[in-house]
Amino acid sequence: MIAILIGTNRLGSRTRLVGAQLVRLYTALGEPTHAIDLGLLPVEVGSPRAYTEKPAEVSRLALSLGAARGLVVALPEYNGSFPGVLKLFLDLLPHPSPLEGKPICLVGVARGRFGGLRAVEDLQRHLLYRRAYLYPHSILLSDIDELLGTEARIEDPAAVKRLQEQAEGFVRFVDRIVPPTESREKPRLASP
Ligand SMILES: Cc1cc2nc3c(=O)[nH]c(=O)nc-3n(C[C@H](O)[C@H](O)[C@H](O)COP(=O)(O)O)c2cc1C
């Protein structure tokens, strides 16, 4: 299973739409997927007690993360970095961390023209500290308002091609690090 993490809890987030598109994309590649939406986190995650008394939803999302062969993070850029709620969620993950040794792929989303570059680079630094295996081809979706328009999905052919190529490459990357179980039927992708 590939987990798709929506890296914000903002109501009306455009990153959430991108995450839903990623779910459809990986599903079409024959990968079972599971969305981890930070919008589901309860307000208790902001409590001073949250580090010792983990809210049940954090533990549930952490379990999904741990069960995933790979993780795709769709994240917006907020004030030149990634959202605080994403850092809080990552800080509340249990030890041993489900991020350690996890293949992870990033998709930056921003209204600005740098496509979330600063958010992606900040998260890369954090994930390397957590000993994750970073897929080297991140995608930066700039001018997201124009890219989505009034639609709930990206239809621009060049952007769709980039998302498709990243997903195919990431599945091959995950397969090398965490081979799929033999029992699972899955269409094989062409070698790079
Ligand atoms: C608190 C906040 C800070 C933001 N900071 C930036 C920024 O630094 N650079 C940028 O390009 N867009 C910034 N934006 C705009 C987001 O890129 C835009 O909302 C985009 O749709 C992705 O975020 P979303 O998933 O919340 O919709 C910011 C938005 C919010 C809510």
Side-chain angles (χ1 to χ4, degrees):
M1 179 265 284
I2 302 279
I4 314 282
L5 174 61
I6 316 297
T8 179
N9 61 350
R10 190 177 80 79
L11 283 176
S13 159
R14 292 188 171 275
T15 304
R16 188 167 291 111
L17 299 177
V18 173
Q21 187 157 356
L22 290 169
V23 166
R24 293 192 294 273
L25 186 51
Y26 279 87
T27 303
L29 291 176
E31 284 297 324
T33 57
H34 182 83
I36 298 178
D37 189 342
L38 297 188
L40 296 175
L41 290 176
V43 290
E44 288 74 43
V45 292
S47 158
R49 295 179 193 276
Y51 297 90
T52 46
E53 298 164 24
K54 300 272 166 70
E57 194 62 20
V58 170
S59 306
R60 203 181 64 77
L61 297 183
L63 274 178
S64 301
L65 216 164
R69 292 198 307 131
L71 172 68
V72 182
V73 186
L75 69 156
E77 178 165 303
Y78 288 173
N79 293 309
S81 186
F82 60 86
V85 70
L86 175 56
K87 179 66 163 59
L88 182 57
F89 174 66
L90 296 173
D91 286 342
L92 291 176
L93 289 176
H95 290 280
S97 165
L99 298 172
E100 187 162 339
K102 182 79 66 191
I104 302 185
C105 167
L106 304 183
V107 178
V109 178
R111 183 176 298 148
R113 64 195 164 104
F114 298 114
L117 174 65
R118 290 161 291 216
V120 164
E121 287 186 344
D122 279 359
L123 186 58
Q124 282 173 338
R125 200 154 42 102
H126 176 89
L127 293 173
L128 285 173
Y129 179 85
R130 304 292 289 267
R131 299 180 183 170
Y133 293 143
L134 285 182
Y135 181 61
H137 303 293
S138 301
I139 285 191
L140 303 173
L141 297 172
S142 53
D143 302 312
I144 192 66
D145 288 342
E146 287 76 37
L147 214 46
L148 282 167
T150 54
E151 305 299 322
R153 58 183 299 140
I154 294 169
E155 286 178 351
D156 174 72
V160 170
K161 184 165 179 275
R162 282 197 294 146
L163 288 169
Q164 179 82 27
E165 286 175 353
Q166 186 200 43
E168 290 177 359
F170 184 57
V171 169
R172 286 194 292 268
F173 182 77
V174 173
D175 282 353
R176 285 194 197 109
I177 296 170
V178 187
T181 54
E182 287 176 16
S183 58
R184 188 158 67 80
E185 287 183 20
K186 172 166 150 340
R188 305 309 307 166
L189 298 167
S191 298

